[in-house]
Amino acid sequence: MNAEMILSVSQLHQHFQINKDLTIKAVNGVSFNIRKGEVVGLVGETGSGKSTVARSIMGIYPATQGEVYFKGNKITDKKVYHQNKEDIHNNMQIIFQDSAAALNPRMTVAEIILEPIIVNKLMKDKNKIQQKLDSLLLEVGLDHTYKNKYPVEISGGQRQRVAIARCLSTSPDLIIADEPIASLDVSIQAQIITLFQKLQREHGFSFLLIAHDLSIIKFICDKVAVMLNGRIMEIGTTKEIFSHPAHPYTQSLLSAVPVPDPIYERSKVLIDYDVKSANEEAEMVELSPKHSVLNNFQSFVLQKSY
Amino acid sequence: MAEPMLQLKNLSVSFDTKNGEVEAVRDVSLTLNKGEILAIVGESGCGKTVMSQSVLKLLPKTSRIKQGRIIVDGEDITDYKEKEMRKLRGGVLSMVFQDPMTTLNPTIPIGKQITESIMKHNKISKEEAKKRGVEMLNLVGINQPEEMFALQPHFFSGGMRQRCVLAIALASNPKILFADEATTALDVTVQAKILNLLLDIRDKTGISIVFISHDLGVVAKIADRVAVMYAGKIVEIGTAADVFYDPRHPYVWGLMAALPSLTKAGACLATIPGMPPVMLNPPPGDAFAVRNKFALAIDYAEMPPMYEISPTHYAATWLLDEKSPQIKRPILLKRMDQ
Ligand SMILES: Nc1ncnc2c1ncn2[C@@H]1O[C@H](COP(=O)(O)OP(=O)(O)OP(=O)(O)O)[C@@H](O)[C@H]1O
Ligand SMILES: Nc1ncnc2c1ncn2[C@@H]1O[C@H](COP(=O)(O)OP(=O)(O)OP(=O)(O)O)[C@@H](O)[C@H]1O
Ligand SMILES: [Mg+2]
Ligand SMILES: [Mg+2]
């Protein structure tokens, strides 16, 4: 396996058996790779399985089928997972969709941020730990007066930054961020995106960024995967996906991005995508080495762009 | 003739905390007409949620209405007690909260929560309520609504929960809907459908909507009028065209400049420097002054009044005073059709 490869997901399936009549097939054969320093975006319909992909990678539920490799280790294998448990805990961090709301209300900002370091016994020296805390706070743009505050005493955007600082505390190789900024307003979004870009440039972190907001994906991702009904419809470089979307669902998604322009926004025509028109049996087709699409729509004409 | 459904007159709302008084909403006046969609935008902590929850009287006991009146459909409800409010909420007034899990009970199947809420405000049988519930779920775009009816909220994804909450809020045919970040958790195609649905319902029923959002693209699509809040005050209000094409407050310029969709990929995003003020001791003048590169000396000393730019468009910045220096506004929006 390529040494540069941080994460490799292969044919991942995640089915939830609700009762004997109902099984929710949340993820249905998802494959993608993340290399060192790469920012990969995962977009798609609500309920398409994005958060489930993230949780399955983290090992929160055992995969129904398929493999996940973290730095070459097959962590969907229980034995391998336990052998590499420490590495996984320290080097793969997730920011949940509702991280900001999920911060322990009885812990101070300092305690929340340092918890992973203390629990994983990564540092022992008290002074060093305090220095680390100061530098983490600085990194996410909070000053030291926030250390002793409790989550209720700070705003939503500040809470999200505390969640990010906590996630950075172990200097992970891979950060999985599930809608890290959806609930924040534009100016704070801009601050956090700028922070992600800086971290990626300066520390070479890899990101899996789940987001609804395609303008943000376009802004910071190297690669994008578009999901629908538990499968990837299209995957490729951000440039390819945004300039030559091949799948009708991607086209409909791009047409729906709201533009802050009232006259344009009110007159624009949405491209509708009828899910029912899709074929069940389909496979990924490579349009170029940087761009693949699921061949599950009728009007598909193979057009290799090279 | 415009018929006012909601009027706020000089409304101020504060919280009493152990550190002192938090002035969350400061002297807000606005009118929402029948069939109108008014968007409220502004940075986190500027008072959007507190303002709408003060109308619904859902704020904790530590809060108090310091001054001002709240008038709903011609009736002054400022001094209404919980018993009278209960009749209004979920009936005339309805709401969708920022976090769907605060509305949904995690242990009760979605379907039951919907039918119960329908039955509370409409005299109809259980069967009819269920039928209407399934209809509402269908309307907000939940696939297999009949099957989903029996499931608890944790089986649903974030966006699906949000749609359920919207279904509950709309099921009682309210006159005013408060939608607090109601589409934030949705992907753009579902979001576009929900926005079209809201516009459609508005056209059919004449419902009035207070639409709180930080997504200016969404606001551009749905809002008739836009109010921009900063530090508990409305700093600019006008029609969508007024605020998007001809913004006058420097804070609104900053908001527009921070939009990623307007910036080329790979470039640096413009951020508004600094942080919004802590509302414990708001500064005496224009609260935005410390972050405003166009600030005048008077901004630090005295609160600017609301200046009328046109009969629909108002902004509170000293830059609009005739004695102020003329400032060339940064280039912001290029209209897409030009
Ligand atoms: N623990 C679970 N048990 C049963 N079903 C689940 C569970 N978690 C998710 N699902 C189901 O799996 C599907 C995918 O959910 P998921 O949360 O991954 O969607 P998502 O793409 O993250 O959506 P959103 O954008 O709304 O957050 C949904 O149909 C959901 O109901
Ligand atoms: N229960 C409370 N006690 C004390 N202060 C509060 C309370 N609730 C809200 N506040 C303060 O009131 C101000 C306005 O809060 P509000 O929730 O209205 O902001 P918002 O504009 O809705 O922000 P967001 O976009 O993050 O939802 C904030 O400064 C907040 O800290
Ligand atoms: Mg999700
Ligand atoms: Mg709010």
Side-chain angles (χ1 to χ4, degrees):
Chain A
M1 181 156 292
N2 192 328
E4 291 268 309
M5 203 71 90
I6 294 292
L7 184 79
S8 178
V9 176
S10 165
Q11 283 302 319
L12 183 71
H13 288 72
Q14 190 64 264
H15 296 178
F16 297 106
Q17 176 105 40
I18 308 291
N19 53 42
K20 64 181 191 322
D21 299 322
L22 185 62
T23 302
I24 295 182
K25 297 184 176 173
V27 177
N28 252 325
V30 160
S31 308
F32 63 91
N33 297 316
I34 302 180
R35 287 167 207 281
K36 187 168 163 48
E38 213 171 34
V39 183
V40 175
L42 196 55
V43 297
E45 194 167 43
T46 39
S48 61
K50 304 181 295 294
S51 298
T52 307
V53 167
R55 290 194 213 106
S56 305
I57 293 171
M58 296 298 292
I60 293 171
Y61 340 100
T64 311
Q65 201 186 312
E67 291 97 45
V68 176
Y69 296 86
F70 180 58
K71 296 198 281 187
N73 299 314
K74 184 173 165 185
I75 59 174
T76 33
D77 185 322
K78 264 206 193 113
K79 224 166 88 206
V80 180
Y81 184 90
H82 282 285
Q83 278 161 2
N84 294 284
K85 209 168 156 185
E86 214 162 291
D87 179 46
I88 297 167
H89 281 178
N90 296 339
N91 287 319
M92 185 154 82
Q93 289 284 349
I94 188 164
I95 307 171
F96 286 108
Q97 202 160 0
D98 48 1
S99 282
L103 298 178
N104 186 337
R106 276 180 290 277
M107 284 167 79
T108 63
V109 165
E111 287 164 351
I112 291 168
I113 295 176
L114 293 176
E115 194 184 35
I117 296 184
I118 310 278
V119 169
N120 295 313
K121 301 197 180 68
L122 296 180
M123 280 181 172
K124 303 230 164 60
D125 185 299
K126 283 238 165 69
N127 283 327
K128 285 237 171 75
I129 291 179
Q130 282 310 312
Q131 275 170 19
K132 180 80 186 170
L133 175 64
D134 288 337
S135 77
L136 284 168
L137 283 169
L138 199 67
E139 198 105 76
V140 297
L142 293 172
D143 71 53
H144 62 270
T145 58
Y146 285 92
K147 272 185 213 171
N148 298 316
K149 290 196 194 286
Y150 288 89
V152 286
E153 298 176 311
I154 59 180
S155 84
Q158 290 161 348
R159 262 180 248 157
Q160 194 62 312
R161 280 186 270 186
V162 170
I164 292 169
R166 175 188 160 97
C167 173
L168 297 178
S169 66
T170 60
S171 299
D173 296 319
L174 174 67
I175 296 177
I176 299 177
D178 190 354
E179 309 265 358
I181 46 180
S183 58
L184 305 177
D185 53 84
V186 277
S187 60
I188 292 171
Q189 278 189 0
Q191 285 174 13
I192 289 184
I193 295 170
T194 311
L195 169 68
F196 279 170
Q197 283 180 317
K198 184 176 138 236
L199 293 172
Q200 191 244 343
R201 261 198 316 268
E202 290 174 6
H203 304 278
F205 290 144
S206 309
F207 281 93
L208 176 63
L209 185 69
I210 299 174
H212 286 128
D213 191 334
L214 287 148
S215 52
I216 283 161
I217 294 276
K218 181 176 178 185
F219 196 71
I220 60 170
C221 292
D222 303 306
K223 221 158 80 181
V224 189
V226 181
M227 273 187 82
L228 182 69
N229 292 340
R231 303 186 73 172
I232 291 182
M233 297 291 122
E234 184 163 6
I235 184 166
T237 59
T238 307
K239 211 172 145 222
E240 280 297 310
I241 298 282
F242 278 85
S243 53
H244 306 293
H247 198 281
Y249 177 64
T250 313
Q251 289 165 358
S252 113
L253 206 57
L254 289 176
S255 82
V257 175
V259 178
D261 180 339
I263 294 177
Y264 173 79
E265 190 56 42
R266 269 154 232 230
S267 55
K268 102 177 163 191
V269 183
L270 297 176
I271 301 172
D272 208 19
Y273 175 63
D274 182 13
V275 184
K276 294 184 197 82
S277 70
N279 301 330
E280 268 298 314
E281 292 301 314
E283 49 194 54
M284 290 304 269
V285 176
E286 199 176 82
L287 298 179
S288 85
K290 293 176 187 159
H291 190 180
S292 302
V293 63
L294 187 71
N295 175 13
N296 68 342
F297 46 98
Q298 266 114 36
S299 60
F300 188 65
V301 188
L302 254 187
Q303 264 180 350
K304 297 215 172 195
S305 48
Y306 62 99
Chain B
M1 181 59 209
E3 182 187 329
M5 278 306 298
L6 171 69
Q7 285 169 284
L8 304 184
K9 294 185 171 164
N10 305 99
L11 184 70
S12 294
V13 183
S14 286
F15 293 94
D16 293 310
T17 70
K18 63 177 193 296
N19 296 324
E21 177 188 347
V22 174
E23 300 183 38
V25 173
R26 301 191 291 157
D27 195 25
V28 163
S29 297
L30 59 82
T31 300
L32 172 72
N33 290 317
K34 184 168 162 41
E36 188 175 54
I37 302 178
L38 172 71
I40 316 277
V41 300
E43 248 165 324
S44 168
C46 70
K48 305 179 295 289
T49 299
V50 170
M51 187 186 81
S52 57
Q53 300 214 339
S54 70
V55 175
L56 294 155
K57 294 200 202 295
L58 288 172
L59 291 171
K61 288 228 162 61
T62 53
S63 74
R64 65 194 152 88
I65 293 179
K66 246 174 87 176
Q67 62 157 21
R69 311 304 304 172
I70 302 168
I71 295 152
V72 170
D73 201 6
E75 189 127 358
D76 189 328
I77 68 157
T78 322
D79 301 317
Y80 270 28
K81 295 280 173 297
E82 180 56 24
K83 209 176 123 199
E84 296 154 298
M85 283 312 296
R86 217 171 289 154
K87 272 189 219 137
L88 287 181
R89 284 196 296 259
V92 177
L93 305 176
S94 195
M95 61 259 154
V96 178
F97 290 122
Q98 214 160 350
D99 174 11
M101 284 317 272
T102 57
T103 313
L104 296 174
N105 184 325
T107 59
I108 301 176
I110 288 281
K112 193 160 177 226
Q113 300 193 45
I114 297 178
T115 39
E116 271 175 6
S117 131
I118 295 174
M119 285 166 71
K120 207 158 81 190
H121 298 282
N122 300 285
K123 285 202 178 63
I124 54 174
S125 70
K126 213 169 160 186
E127 284 68 48
E128 279 174 90
K130 178 166 182 202
K131 205 172 132 236
R132 184 154 168 74
V134 172
E135 222 173 82
M136 291 312 297
L137 283 186
N138 218 343
L139 197 66
V140 296
I142 298 267
N143 297 328
Q144 302 177 286
E146 314 252 6
E147 279 90 338
M148 297 318 249
F149 225 63
L151 300 182
Q152 278 87 9
H154 70 267
F155 292 119
F156 290 66
S157 80
M160 290 158 80
R161 282 178 206 156
Q162 190 61 293
R163 285 188 268 176
C164 293
V165 173
L166 191 62
I168 294 175
L170 291 173
S172 61
N173 288 325
K175 287 188 177 168
I176 307 177
L177 173 71
F178 292 85
D180 194 346
E181 305 285 2
T183 62
T184 305
L186 306 175
D187 69 89
V188 287
T189 48
V190 173
Q191 172 170 275
K193 282 180 197 146
I194 297 275
L195 295 176
N196 283 335
L197 172 74
L198 285 176
L199 286 167
D200 222 39
I201 290 175
R202 186 271 301 268
D203 293 343
K204 285 197 190 112
T205 66
I207 188 176
S208 309
I209 303 175
V210 176
F211 192 92
I212 299 174
S213 176
H214 60 255
D215 187 333
L216 292 173
V218 169
V219 169
K221 178 169 174 84
I222 198 167
D224 302 313
R225 285 197 303 140
V226 180
V228 183
M229 284 183 79
Y230 188 81
K233 294 181 79 71
I234 290 182
V235 295
E236 182 154 354
I237 185 165
T239 63
D242 290 337
V243 175
F244 278 93
Y245 300 133
D246 186 24
R248 297 304 181 100
H249 198 287
Y251 173 60
V252 185
W253 300 343
L255 278 186
M256 301 270 177
L259 287 169
S261 55
L262 301 179
T263 319
K264 277 224 181 82
C268 256
L269 274 185
T271 56
I272 305 175
M275 294 294 293
V278 180
M279 298 310 291
L280 262 175
N281 282 303
D286 182 343
F288 186 59
V290 287
R291 303 170 70 189
N292 180 5
K293 66 176 173 190
F294 305 107
L296 310 167
I298 189 170
D299 275 311
Y300 294 94
E302 212 178 309
M303 208 100 83
M306 268 287 178
Y307 289 93
E308 179 178 324
I309 299 145
S310 78
T312 57
H313 190 186
Y314 297 82
T317 164
W318 285 114
L319 291 180
L320 291 169
D321 196 88
E322 55 188 19
K323 294 194 284 293
S324 295
Q326 290 300 309
I327 282 181
K328 207 160 158 252
R329 154 174 80 197
I331 297 164
L332 302 165
L333 253 178
K334 280 210 188 72
R335 275 175 47 183
M336 304 278 290
D337 56 344
Q338 283 176 355

